[in-house]
Amino acid sequence: MKKRLTALLLTAAAVLSLAACGANDAPASDPAQDAAVSAPAGTPERSASDGVSNDSNVQGATGIGEAGQTASAADHELIEIHAGSVGGKFVGHFDATSGFSTDVGQSALNLVFERVFFVDPATRQYTSLILDSWDVDENNVVALHVKDGARFSRSGNQLLASDILYSFRRNTNAPMAAGNWAKYVDLDGATVSDDNRTAYVPFNMPFGAYQSILSIGVLEEAWIESHGGEDAFDWFDPELANGLGAYLPTELTVDVSATYELVDDWWAAEEYMTTSFCYANRICCHQYTDETTMMIDLENGVLDLALSLSSASMERVIADPSIGTAQSVSSNAVSLLTMNYDIVDGTEAFNDENLRKAICYGTPAEDLAELAYGVLHEKPVSYIASTSPYCAPGYTYDYDPDLARHYRDESSVGSVDLKWLVQSGSSAATIAEGFNAYMSQLDISVAVEVYDVLTCIAEWQKPGATDFQIINDNNANSSGDPFTNMTFLGSTASFKCSNRNGEDINALIDGAAYSFDPSVRKEYYEQLQEYLFNSYSVIPMSEWNLGLAYGKDIASTQITDVYTVDLRFVGF
């Protein structure tokens, strides 16, 4: 029988906290000052225990809780948390630097391998558990000052600045990350201080979302080399896994489950195990092949948390509270319907602005999004999520069939035959079918072609393969920084329908991305949202949410990201 938790743990959760645990964002006293690199105007040196400054959105974060009564796992009755997720399988060799796996696989990254940076769930600001402070100089060099006493949970060795650089370099081996590192970071020029307490990471340009690039799990170079090198063992290995986090894996059944237990002498216990946060002594993650089975286990009390739920499962829990409590979590992203409107490879009919206006005002975005996302839909206010400090509300199109008819009559284009290539079973497929019906009222024919995901990905990268596309409907992020989402509209975008080659829009996208000054980024993002609205080629559809449900033994949660959920802040 699970018993009520009486003490709370604060660890470096990337994305998960409990409202019932009273997490607060008050800064701790006497922040560490260990600056070796001066910061330019607008990017003051920040400590992991500083409060959030008004002049910085991504250059620091709050302290995580206040000093208080310390505790250890031995002081409390055993508390187990069981979480489940449906998705792809564990990769054969899980690499903590890439973090690429299912929700269950992500648990290893968040529980065992402490990240360099993570998002404080109370403030959505980046902070760090393993750094005393970090700063940026006028040459775009990020200095990371390692916290004294930070040590690896299995080996007991102190964290070195060279371990951070080793982890960064390992990350370039991950196919999904290599491009970002090569573009933004000069790892060949990265160095450490003589005492190996500070890592200096040169960026090739000012980059406002730099902490998202550096937000990876930290590995101990000496431990890996002494145990056979990079590919010698899996990072789930109960005997060899070694990170800076509060947990170590104890059991693993590949593609089925993984169990983690709290480290008794975790290096950060005295500072962070307080009575202001929750923890469990044991966390069990279960991987399911279908959502129906997972929901049955939630209903029967086998699971405490069911993650990444569909709208249908969410509606089921809402209708029957005996199953558990449903909770939606903002994706911090807006699903966008893009037209193939581009100066190079665009659809010729879209050169007529009145036709584009007719489509924008003739699309009932609210109704179509509700069909696609159900209870996980939230009406957007612009092209950037309302949870972001860079959102400029007011840039959406209200459905107006009479106005749409007016613009269609004013257009110089006669009958129009267009196509929409969508993935089978996707939200875009649902939207496309309804969209076609409304477009037919405007003498616009949209042929919907449905394919599997691999075919779609291959075709979307070809010019002219589709005249419409939904983007950002699976691109959640925990910080709310719109960099990644807006990049999908730039000239470097892989999917040609959303690709925009115009100099004006790319100047805005780049201006917002390539600055360390949040005020500069905000100005560019405001101009970008106005530009998109006036282009009449991108329609905000839904500020979509992620779904989860929890059982009766959990009082409440304030989870901020289901895709990379961190289970260290779950209590009963």
Side-chain angles (χ1 to χ4, degrees):
M1 176 74 65
K2 298 167 186 162
K3 300 180 176 64
R4 182 165 297 277
L5 181 66
T6 59
L8 315 160
L9 167 68
L10 168 66
T11 60
V15 291
L16 178 57
S17 71
L18 285 183
C21 298
N24 71 69
D25 56 2
S29 60
D30 299 323
Q33 301 295 327
D34 187 22
V37 182
S38 60
T43 54
E45 179 193 345
R46 299 307 308 276
S47 165
S49 57
D50 282 350
V52 180
S53 67
N54 293 327
D55 61 353
S56 176
N57 177 52
V58 297
Q59 181 67 25
T62 65
I64 317 167
E66 299 175 327
Q69 179 181 351
T70 61
S72 70
D75 294 330
H76 307 288
E77 299 171 285
L78 178 64
I79 302 296
E80 286 190 356
I81 291 173
H82 291 260
S85 174
V86 177
K89 296 184 177 182
F90 290 143
V91 291
H93 178 76
F94 180 78
D95 190 332
T97 57
S98 70
F100 180 62
S101 188
T102 65
D103 298 321
V104 182
Q106 284 282 354
S107 65
L109 179 61
N110 291 320
L111 297 174
V112 180
F113 301 96
E114 192 61 55
R115 296 175 185 261
V116 177
F117 290 107
F118 69 93
V119 175
D120 185 330
T123 65
R124 297 187 186 276
Q125 303 291 318
Y126 278 103
T127 190
S128 179
L129 192 69
I130 67 172
L131 302 177
D132 267 331
S133 59
W134 56 94
D135 48 86
V136 186
D137 72 6
E138 64 277 4
N139 296 315
N140 305 324
V141 176
V142 176
L144 308 173
H145 309 290
V146 173
K147 180 175 291 185
D148 290 336
R151 56 187 172 85
F152 291 91
S153 296
R154 190 177 298 278
S155 69
N157 295 329
Q158 294 288 317
L159 168 66
L160 302 175
S162 56
D163 291 321
I164 294 178
L165 293 188
Y166 172 78
S167 301
F168 289 163
R169 290 178 176 125
R170 280 290 305 278
N171 197 68
T172 62
N173 296 331
M176 297 184 67
N180 282 342
W181 283 88
K183 180 176 182 179
Y184 301 116
V185 184
D186 177 18
L187 283 180
D188 291 336
T191 60
V192 299
S193 59
D194 291 341
D195 62 0
N196 213 351
R197 306 305 298 161
T198 300
Y200 300 101
V201 184
F203 273 68
N204 296 320
M205 62 194 82
F207 182 52
Y210 74 94
Q211 287 156 313
S212 66
I213 296 293
L214 305 182
S215 178
I216 65 168
V218 179
L219 310 173
E220 184 185 3
E221 182 177 13
W223 175 268
I224 293 173
E225 295 304 319
S226 66
H227 287 81
E230 295 182 2
D231 297 319
F233 58 91
D234 196 289
W235 301 112
F236 284 119
D237 192 320
E239 301 298 327
L240 295 175
N242 179 38
L244 294 161
Y247 290 81
L248 285 174
T250 57
E251 298 177 14
L252 168 67
T253 302
V254 175
D255 297 337
V256 177
S257 65
T259 300
Y260 308 92
E261 293 192 1
L262 188 66
V263 177
D264 285 331
D265 57 348
W266 184 48
W267 62 272
E270 184 175 353
E271 182 175 2
Y272 291 104
M273 287 187 184
T274 76
T275 55
S276 299
F277 295 86
C278 297
Y279 78 91
N281 292 33
R282 180 180 296 155
I283 296 176
C284 305
C285 301
H286 305 270
Q287 182 172 295
Y288 290 82
T289 57
D290 66 276
E291 192 166 293
T292 300
T293 303
M294 180 172 68
M295 291 301 296
I296 291 174
D297 281 353
L298 176 68
E299 186 172 3
N300 292 332
V302 176
L303 289 181
D304 300 299
L305 281 169
L307 304 170
S308 296
L309 296 182
S310 65
S311 176
S313 290
M314 290 285 287
E315 291 174 355
R316 179 186 168 199
V317 177
I318 292 171
D320 185 1
S322 66
I323 299 174
T325 301
Q327 179 180 342
S328 61
V329 180
S330 176
S331 66
N332 300 313
V334 176
S335 173
L336 304 174
L337 194 167
T338 63
M339 303 178 207
N340 186 34
Y341 172 61
D342 187 76
I343 60 175
V344 177
D345 296 311
T347 301
E348 184 176 354
F350 290 153
N351 291 331
D352 189 304
E353 183 177 286
N354 284 322
L355 179 67
R356 302 197 311 273
K357 287 182 177 180
I359 293 173
C360 288
Y361 288 108
T363 299
E366 180 79 358
D367 293 340
L368 294 178
E370 285 186 353
L371 285 175
Y373 302 104
V375 295
L376 298 175
H377 163 69
E378 185 174 336
K379 186 177 181 178
V381 297
S382 189
Y383 296 90
I384 293 175
S386 60
T387 53
S388 170
Y390 300 120
C391 175
Y395 292 115
T396 59
Y397 306 102
D398 293 329
Y399 175 55
D400 189 331
D402 293 333
L403 184 60
R405 184 71 258 177
H406 165 75
Y407 283 124
R408 184 65 178 97
D409 292 339
E410 290 294 315
S411 71
S412 60
V413 180
S415 60
V416 182
D417 293 319
L418 303 172
K419 62 180 177 180
W420 190 344
L421 191 153
V422 296
Q423 176 188 338
S424 175
S426 67
S427 57
T430 302
I431 291 173
E433 291 296 340
F435 177 79
N436 179 36
Y438 283 94
M439 290 301 101
S440 65
Q441 300 174 15
L442 298 171
D443 304 317
I444 300 172
S445 173
V446 181
V448 179
E449 301 178 6
V450 182
Y451 297 96
D452 62 87
V453 60
L454 294 179
T455 300
C456 285
I457 291 175
E459 291 298 312
W460 288 336
Q461 297 181 65
K462 300 177 182 178
T466 182
D467 296 310
F468 300 96
Q469 188 172 15
I470 293 288
I471 62 171
N472 294 338
D473 62 338
N474 61 354
N475 196 32
N477 71 84
S478 58
S479 70
D481 193 299
F483 163 72
T484 301
N485 295 339
M486 292 297 98
T487 301
F488 277 100
L489 293 171
S491 60
T492 60
S494 298
F495 298 152
K496 300 305 179 182
C497 182
S498 59
N499 181 294
R500 300 291 186 266
N501 286 292
E503 292 183 3
D504 291 343
I505 185 173
N506 281 281
L508 295 175
I509 292 173
D510 291 348
Y514 304 135
S515 173
F516 285 117
D517 188 336
S519 63
V520 171
R521 300 186 70 205
K522 183 176 180 65
E523 182 177 352
Y524 273 109
Y525 275 130
E526 288 177 349
Q527 294 180 43
L528 176 59
Q529 290 165 90
E530 181 180 11
Y531 179 95
L532 291 172
F533 180 82
N534 291 330
S535 76
Y536 299 100
S537 65
V538 182
I539 304 174
M541 297 297 292
S542 177
E543 188 168 326
W544 54 283
N545 294 315
L546 304 158
L548 65 91
Y550 52 88
K552 64 182 185 314
D553 289 327
I554 295 179
S556 62
T557 70
Q558 191 180 344
I559 297 174
T560 57
D561 188 344
V562 174
Y563 282 171
T564 54
V565 64
D566 190 319
L567 301 171
R568 292 174 292 183
F569 285 167
V570 178
F572 294 12

